[in-house]
Each structure stands twice: as structure tokens, then as C-alpha cells.
């Protein structure tokens, strides 16, 4: 099957810093890709390039279209939620639904209304009267009712409380995602998405430093917990990272044979956030 | 069955109306209402003071002097012209207000959604930037003036009836008076002037939308300060004895057009009125469509429109590629 997104030699410079530095990657259909990186690593620039919101160097094809030249056509198949609270403050729920229903060819009004019926949103409510969580509910209802092939989420749950955050991803998984759809999500709340991701992409200083599916990540990376007596021995094996918990040391390894680690201590799969922290060490230093 | 393009435009313009209902609808309605109220107050005051309608003693914003004229005049043509001006005056006031509304609407049209980042929502829909910008042009120079004309005509007719009824208390037949006036011609003139307004306003439409799409902050300052600064530099060069360009030409045909063309009626001027005779008898001729559209005969009208389109194209380009959210 053709890749949903295929980028080759993607580059973008802002004044003197490179936001994207010769980046290449492919995203296959039916995946949920987490694009994770520290602030200013180039995540948003990459998403903007995919959405045709910014110019760039290199080759980029999204659903077989060039986002620079065929943006109108592309947006029929691509949806995005960029940050929370980008809905215009003056608009009413009724107006937003009417407008999207009449301008988007792939919008299913009944589905949207069914999703809204599950919330406390009423037709005459204006965005400026809503809480952040309610705004996201409205935005999500609008977006989920669009039968798009690619959904891009840029920090979609920033500033929401845990109830809204959980509900957001649960809705997305239960009522939206299927094998014909692809989701790209960037977020700092890694713990919340790590169980739904199928692919992981780490970006740092405009470069992709990790691009793997979650199974491969599980095979490649392992954490071993050892007592203080064995710490020096394990350290000699050049772990990626080391941290102390309750007097024991936890070491993170990349591509080390599992049997060898199991002989040393308790082995487990590292969380994405631990992996992230280890990979990005020294970014802000 | 509407074509998709027209349907899209319909909803885009409707969106503008939703957002700017206050400026497009309520402003002219309120201005018209206040204007009528002022005149009712003036008439009551006049009646109480014994049928003496002194234009100078009254407060601003009413038509008492015209009323006085109508009472003391016996010439039906003059009374008719007085009534026509009376009706027109409501539209004149509303159209000045319209100018301000449209001016600030255009300045904010491509700026406000960048500032509050709702641009990212609009850009997530399959709408072209060309259609978006054009919908704002249509909202500002077609929809807003249509609403203003409707409000102006309704208030004007209200004004006319108000005066005719009051005059009838002074022994003048209402219906006879009304036959002197030309409300239908006046209405037709106003409606007919809308396409002319759209073309005339193009330089300002383009310039204001361009500033709106371009400015990182304070579009008003850029839109006004830039052309004024250029004018001052030209003036200074001329002061030094340089003969680069006529300063008047710049102020009148460039600066004035890109800032003030959103005010309706700019195509007719005092000179125009004087040329036609300059008396009240010529009012209808002055306001006639034929006279208005004669503005199209001048090359500067079309040069302005072409420049406006070029500015619009630049605004569309900026809307597409400006990346600062």
C-alpha cells in the first residue's frame, strides 16, 4: 500500500536556526504515529509542512498530493486540530456545524450531532462561553464527523484536565480510528498516548533520531534493574541512560541481547517517556 | 441547484455576517433609529414652540431646516427636492457610518484570525485562500452596502412619512406632498450605486486587506502611517525643489483612494455638484445613476480598480503563505 506521508530531504530554516534538517520518513496507512520532541525541535514545522501551511525544501507527498500546490484538494482528506482553543471565539455550536456541513464534502452531520449529544454543548452556545475542555469536545466532534484519511493532532489536549484528556483519546480510538485512517499526534503528555501509538518518531534539533514501530521499540530497548553491587559491571556495558530508584539502579540499553541483560537483573520494557528523556539528554543544556 | 462554487461563497459570506452582525446589521439599524428619533424630538419641540422650526436652534442630526423650508415654500418642485434630500440624508448618514464599518472590517478581516489563531481552524477546511479573501470583499462591498441601503431606505421612508404627516397638520395634504417626492427613484439610485461602490472601493479594499494579511501587529497603523509617510517624503522632496510627482496628485489619487474609497459617494464631489448648477433643483440630477456612473469615464477610476485587484492578489498570496501562528 502507498504511504500516506512520504518525505525526502525535508528542510526548513528560520532565520539562522534549522527547524527541519534534511528529514526523511514515511508514514503508512492505518497507523497512529507519535511525533515526540522537545520544544523547538521542529515538530510543529513538520506538521505545518504536511498540512501545506508553510513552505519548505525537499520532497513531500501527502496522500499522493503536494501540500504546497494542491492544498485545497488535500484538505478534503486531511483534518487537523492544531492546539486547543483555535475555534473562533464568536462562533456558536450551531453555526460551526452548519458551516462545516456546507463547506466540507466529507462531513457527516448526523455523526457530529450524535457526538455533540453526548456532551453538554447546546446549539446556541458560543465558543467564548465554553471551557477549554468544551471547546475541544466541539472541535473533536467536528473533526471526527469528517471522513478524512489523515488526522493531524498538534498538542490536542494541552491544558485540559485528566477527564477530558482520557475522554479525548478514548473517543478517538472507539469512534474514529480504523485501518483506513492514519493519525499523527504530537504531545508532551507522552504517558497518555504511549498505549495507543503504533509508531514512534523522536525528533531533535530538526532531525529524526528515532523512527520505529512500537514492537520494534520493545525489542530494541530494554531496561534492567540491578542492585548497587552490580552497578559498575552494568555501567561497563555502556547503557544509554542510568537512574536510581530506591537504592537500585535502572539502566536503559539499546540493542542489547535480552539473555545477557536477564542474567544481570530484572528486565522490563522502558516507558516511552523514559526513552524520550534518555534520548533527549542534554537538549536544553 | 447551486453550483459548488456559489454555495461555498454563500457560506463564506454568511460566516462573515455571523461574525460581523454588529457592524453590518445592528450599526445601520441603530443609526437609522437614532436619526428618526432625533427628528421626532425636533418636530415635537417645534410644535411645542408654536410651529417654528428653526434649523439653527436645533441640535445636530436632524432635518429641521429642511422642514422649515418645506413649510415656507410654495414651489412644489422645491418642496419635492426638499423631501428627496430629507430622505437621502438618512442614507447619507448611514453610508458615512458604513464607510467606517467597512474600513475597520477590512483591516481586521485577515488579521484577527491570525492573532487569535482561529486561522488554523479555517485552514483545516478545504477552502481556498482565494475564495476566503474574495468572500471578505463581497461581505464588505456588497453585503454591507446592501444592508445599509435597506436600512437607509426604510429610515428614509419613515422620515418622509413623519414629515408629510406633520405637514398635513399645517394644512398641506400628505398625498399631494408625497407626489412631489421621488422615493422610488431615490431607492433605485441607491441600489444602483452598489456595483459602482464595489469598483470604486477596490483600491481601499485591496490595500486594507493587504495590510490586514501582512501586519504582524497594528494593521491600522501600517495602513495609515505608510501612505502618509510616503506623502510627507514626497512633499519634502518637492520642498527641496525636486519635481518628482505632483504632491496633490499623490494625496488625492493615491493616498485618498487607498484609504477613503470605502466611504460611498467619493466618486461625486462638490465640484461635480457645482458643475450641475449647484442649486437644490439639481439634486436629483446630481444623485442620479447616470451622474454617478459618469465617474467611470475617467481613466483614474479604472487604474484605481486595477491597482486594487493587484493589491487583492497580493493579499491572497500572503494569506496563503504567511506563516506566523
Amino acid at each position: 500500500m502507498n504511504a500516506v506521508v512520504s518525505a525526502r530531504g525535508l528542510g526548513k530554516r528560520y532565520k539562522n536556526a534549522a527547524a527541519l534538517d534534511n528529514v526523511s520518513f514515511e508514514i503508512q496507512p492505518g497507523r497512529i504515529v507519535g511525533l515526540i520532541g522537545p520544544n523547538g525541535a521542529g515538530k510543529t514545522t513538520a506538521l505545518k509542512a504536511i498540512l501545506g501551511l508553510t513552505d519548505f525544501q525537499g520532497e513531500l507527498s501527502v496522500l499522493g498530493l503536494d501540500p504546497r500546490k494542491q492544498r485545497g484538494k488535500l484538505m478534503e482528506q486531511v483534518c487537523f486540530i492544531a492546539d486547543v482553543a483555535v475555534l473562533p471565539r464568536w462562533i456558536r455550536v450551531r453555526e460551526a456545524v452548519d458551516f462545516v456541513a456546507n463547506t466540507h464534502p466529507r462531513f457527516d452531520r448526523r455523526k457530529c450531532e450524535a457526538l455533540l449529544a453526548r456532551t453538554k454543548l447546546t446549539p446556541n452556545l458560543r465558543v467564548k462561553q465554553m471551557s477549554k475542555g468544551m471547546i475541544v469536545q466541539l472541535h473533536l466532534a467536528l473533526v471526527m464527523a469528517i471522513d478524512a484519511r489523515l488526522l493531524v493532532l498538534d498538542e490536542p489536549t494541552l491544558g485540559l484536565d485528566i477527564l477530558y484528556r482520557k475522554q479525548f483519546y478514548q473517543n478517538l480510538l472507539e469512534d474514529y480510528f480504523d485501518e483506513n485512517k492514519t493519525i499523527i499526534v504530537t504531545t508532551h503528555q507522552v504517558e497518555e498516548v504511549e498505549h495507543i501509538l503504533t509508531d514512534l518518531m523522536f525528533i531533535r534539533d530538526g532531525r529524526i533520531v528515532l523512527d520505529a514501530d512500537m514492537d520494534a521499540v520493545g525489542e530494541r530497548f530494554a531496561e534492567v534493574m540491578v542492585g548497587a553491587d552490580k552497578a559498575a559491571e552494568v555501567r561497563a556495558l555502556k547503557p544509554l541512560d542510568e537512574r536510581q530508584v530506591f537504592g537500585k539502579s535502572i539502566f536503559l540499553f539499546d540493542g542489547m541481547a535480552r539473555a545477557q541483560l536477564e542474567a544481570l537483573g530484572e528486565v522490563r520494557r522502558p516507558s516511552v517517556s523514559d526513552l524520550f528523556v534518555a534520548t533527549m539528554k542534554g537538549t536544553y543544556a | 441547484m447551486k453550483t459548488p462554487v456559489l454555495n461555498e461563497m454563500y457560506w463564506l459570506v454568511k460566516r462573515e455576517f455571523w461574525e460581523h452582525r454588529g457592524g453590518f446589521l445592528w450599526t445601520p439599524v441603530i443609526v437609522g433609529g437614532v436619526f428618526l428619533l432625533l427628528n421626532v424630538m425636533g418636530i415635537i419641540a417645534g410644535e411645542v414652540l408654536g410651529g417654528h422650526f428653526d434649523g439653527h436652534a436645533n441640535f445636530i442630526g436632524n432635518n429641521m431646516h429642511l422642514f422649515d423650508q418645506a413649510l415656507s415654500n410654495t414651489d412644489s418642485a422645491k418642496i419635492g427636492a426638499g423631501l428627496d434630500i430629507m430622505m437621502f440624508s438618512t442614507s447619507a448618514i448611514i453610508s458615512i457610518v458604513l464607510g467606517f464599518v467597512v474600513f475597520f472590517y477590512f483591516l481586521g478581516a485577515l488579521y484577527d484570525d491570525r492573532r487569535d489563531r482561529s486561522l488554523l481552524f479555517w485552514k483545516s477546511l478545504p477552502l481556498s485562500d482565494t475564495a476566503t479573501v474574495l468572500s471578505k470583499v463581497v461581505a464588505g462591498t456588497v453585503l454591507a452596502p446592501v444592508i445599509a441601503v435597506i436600512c437607509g431606505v426604510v429610515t428614509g421612508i419613515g422620515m418622509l412619512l413623519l414629515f408629510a404627516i406633520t405637514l398635513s397638520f399645517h394644512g398641506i395634504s400628505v398625498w399631494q406632498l408625497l407626489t412631489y417626492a421621488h422615493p422610488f427613484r431615490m431607492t433605485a439610485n441607491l441600489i444602483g450605486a452598489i456595483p459602482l461602490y464595489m469598483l470604486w472601493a477596490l483600491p481601499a479594499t485591496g490595500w486594507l486587506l493587504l495590510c490586514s494579511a501582512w501586519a504582524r501587529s497594528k494593521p491600522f497603523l501600517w495602513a495609515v502611517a505608510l501612505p502618509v509617510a510616503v506623502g510627507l517624503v514626497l512633499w519634502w522632496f518637492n520642498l527641496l525643489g525636486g519635481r518628482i510627482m505632483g504632491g496633490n496628485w499623490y494625496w488625492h489619487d493615491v493616498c485618498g483612494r487607498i484609504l477613503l474609497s470605502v466611504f460611498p459617494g467619493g466618486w461625486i464631489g462638490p465640484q461635480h455638484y457645482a458643475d450641475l448648477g449647484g442649486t437644490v433643483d439639481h439634486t436629483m440630477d446630481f444623485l442620479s445613476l447616470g451622474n454617478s456612473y459618469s465617474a467611470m469615464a475617467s481613466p483614474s477610476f479604472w487604474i484605481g480598480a486595477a491597482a486594487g485587484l493587484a493589491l487583492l492578489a497580493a493579499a491572497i498570496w500572503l494569506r496563503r503563505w504567511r506563516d506566523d501562528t
Side-chain angles (χ1 to χ4, degrees), chain B:
Chain B
M1 188 66 198
K2 285 181 215 151
T3 65
V5 175
L6 278 181
N7 186 48
E8 182 183 276
M9 191 46 74
Y10 170 80
W11 283 95
L12 280 168
V13 173
K14 195 165 183 165
R15 175 189 80 181
E16 297 305 312
F17 179 69
W18 285 338
E19 185 177 357
H20 299 278
R21 209 185 299 252
F24 289 172
L25 178 62
W26 297 119
T27 304
V29 166
I30 289 167
V31 168
V34 168
F35 197 51
L36 268 183
L37 189 72
L38 283 177
N39 281 282
V40 171
M41 287 162 69
I43 286 171
I44 292 171
E47 294 290 340
V48 169
L49 294 174
H52 181 67
F53 300 92
D54 183 359
H56 302 290
N58 268 300
F59 35 87
I60 310 162
N62 64 26
N63 284 325
M64 289 312 120
H65 57 293
L66 295 171
F67 192 69
D68 222 19
Q69 221 171 18
L71 265 183
S72 55
N73 232 311
T74 45
D75 183 349
S76 68
K78 287 221 165 94
I79 295 177
L83 289 171
D84 286 338
I85 294 177
M86 210 175 278
M87 185 186 165
F88 179 73
S89 64
T90 62
S91 289
I93 288 211
I94 286 177
S95 61
I96 291 169
V97 174
L98 170 77
F100 282 103
V101 167
V102 171
F103 185 93
F104 287 103
Y105 165 70
F106 281 148
L107 269 185
L110 302 175
Y111 171 74
D112 291 344
D113 57 3
R114 285 189 298 134
R115 193 186 47 185
D116 71 9
R117 305 184 75 230
S118 60
L119 171 75
L120 291 171
F121 172 67
W122 303 121
K123 286 231 178 184
S124 75
L125 297 168
L127 301 163
S128 73
D129 297 288
T130 310
T132 303
V133 174
L134 289 183
S135 76
K136 288 168 196 275
V137 175
V138 171
T141 56
V142 179
L143 178 68
V146 165
I147 296 172
V149 164
I150 292 170
C151 289
V153 166
V154 169
T155 347
I157 288 172
M159 188 79 75
L160 212 55
L161 290 175
L162 183 71
F163 276 63
I165 290 167
T166 315
L167 287 174
S168 72
F169 293 139
H170 295 265
I172 303 163
S173 156
V174 183
W175 301 116
Q176 196 197 339
L177 263 182
L178 288 186
T179 53
Y180 294 157
H182 313 88
F184 294 109
R185 245 173 82 190
M186 194 59 94
T187 307
N189 286 347
L190 289 168
I191 294 172
I194 292 172
L196 178 69
Y197 173 67
M198 190 187 185
L199 288 171
W200 173 260
L202 266 176
T205 305
W207 171 249
L208 295 174
L209 283 174
L210 178 64
C211 290
S212 182
W214 176 76
R216 265 186 217 285
S217 66
K218 302 189 181 60
F220 175 80
L221 213 58
W222 284 111
V224 175
L226 214 59
V228 169
V230 169
L232 289 177
V233 169
L234 283 178
W235 170 79
W236 179 70
F237 270 122
N238 284 333
L239 205 67
L240 291 182
R243 281 279 165 267
I244 305 169
M245 272 168 190
N248 279 337
W249 171 81
Y250 175 80
W251 290 113
H252 184 262
D253 285 327
V254 180
C255 198
R257 287 302 306 279
I258 63 174
L259 291 178
L260 302 178
S261 298
V262 284
F263 290 89
W267 51 82
I268 48 179
Q271 185 54 43
H272 226 116
Y273 189 47
D275 290 347
L276 281 168
T279 65
V280 84
D281 304 332
H282 299 92
T283 308
M284 273 326 267
D285 297 333
F286 178 59
L287 294 173
S288 76
L289 280 183
N291 185 43
S292 295
Y293 276 80
S294 67
M296 283 192 174
S298 84
S300 86
F301 181 94
W302 295 105
I303 294 169
L309 286 177
L311 292 168
L312 264 184
I316 291 170
W317 187 87
L318 274 173
R319 175 76 173 184
R320 173 70 183 87
W321 292 111
R322 184 103 201 172
D323 170 27
D324 55 4
T325 42

Side-chain angles (χ1 to χ4, degrees), chain A:
Chain A
M1 218 168 173
N2 286 333
V4 174
V5 181
S6 131
R8 242 176 306 160
L10 215 55
K12 166 99 189 168
R13 294 189 69 82
Y14 285 112
K15 296 220 169 97
N16 38 27
L20 287 176
D21 189 2
N22 198 20
V23 167
S24 300
F25 60 89
E26 286 209 338
I27 293 172
Q28 301 302 326
R31 315 295 292 182
I32 303 180
V33 183
L35 185 62
I36 321 262
N39 291 334
K43 289 170 301 193
T44 300
T45 308
L47 295 188
K48 275 187 176 170
I50 290 171
L51 297 167
L53 292 175
T54 191
D55 206 0
F56 52 82
Q57 286 91 50
E59 276 175 59
L60 178 63
S61 147
V62 181
L63 300 166
L65 300 166
D66 183 337
R68 285 170 291 196
K69 295 188 188 115
Q70 296 160 291
R71 186 161 191 280
K73 210 169 161 207
L74 181 66
M75 293 319 290
E76 284 180 18
Q77 314 247 28
V78 177
C79 250
F80 70 93
I81 298 184
D83 207 331
V84 274
V86 296
L87 291 182
R89 290 176 51 72
W90 54 266
I91 209 165
R92 295 174 193 272
V93 173
R94 168 170 48 83
E95 292 168 342
V97 175
D98 270 351
F99 187 77
V100 181
N102 284 286
T103 50
H104 206 301
R106 301 169 75 89
F107 182 78
D108 179 350
R109 190 181 191 121
R110 259 187 306 177
K111 185 170 178 188
C112 183
E113 277 163 1
L115 288 165
L116 286 174
R118 289 198 234 150
T119 67
K120 285 186 177 166
L121 298 169
T122 51
N124 278 323
L125 200 63
R126 283 182 198 274
V127 167
K128 65 176 152 212
Q129 300 165 310
M130 298 177 191
S131 71
K132 246 185 177 182
M134 292 162 92
I135 298 175
V136 174
Q137 283 182 329
L138 172 58
H139 205 164
L140 190 63
L142 291 169
V143 162
M144 280 172 59
I146 294 169
D147 183 26
R149 285 167 64 197
L150 174 64
L151 174 60
V152 174
L153 304 170
D154 188 8
E155 294 288 359
T157 56
L158 200 69
L160 300 190
D161 68 32
I162 182 111
L163 297 175
Y164 280 121
R165 294 206 301 261
K166 289 274 176 209
Q167 189 196 38
F168 181 90
Y169 289 112
Q170 198 181 339
N171 275 349
L172 214 53
L173 277 188
E174 286 174 5
D175 298 315
Y176 182 76
F177 183 69
D178 61 42
E179 71 275 11
N180 297 316
K181 293 187 161 74
T182 306
I183 299 177
I184 306 178
V185 55
T186 75
T187 178
H188 285 111
Q189 272 130 355
V190 186
E191 320 81 54
E192 269 159 36
V193 293
E194 77 168 284
H195 303 293
I196 68 169
L197 296 183
T198 64
D199 292 79
L200 200 54
M201 233 190 254
F202 281 177
I203 184 164
R204 177 180 178 172
D205 299 331
R207 292 165 185 274
I208 305 270
V209 290
L210 174 75
D211 180 5
D213 69 53
M214 288 304 272
D215 296 336
V217 169
E219 283 164 22
R220 209 178 121 181
F221 295 93
E223 266 184 353
V224 60
M225 186 154 70
V226 300
D229 51 322
K230 282 190 187 164
E233 182 190 339
V234 179
R235 214 169 279 141
L237 296 170
K238 292 196 178 128
L240 270 184
D241 192 32
E242 171 185 352
R243 65 203 153 95
Q244 263 76 38
V245 181
F246 302 128
K248 293 198 162 193
S249 294
I250 299 175
F251 295 92
L252 178 67
F253 284 98
D254 179 1
M256 185 70 78
R258 216 168 181 84
Q260 191 182 353
L261 292 180
E262 270 162 0
L264 295 164
E266 191 190 328
V267 177
R268 55 175 202 184
R269 180 193 173 124
S271 73
V272 172
S273 38
D274 287 334
L275 202 57
F276 176 73
V277 171
T279 316
M280 301 299 163
K281 224 170 11 176
T283 304
Y284 297 138

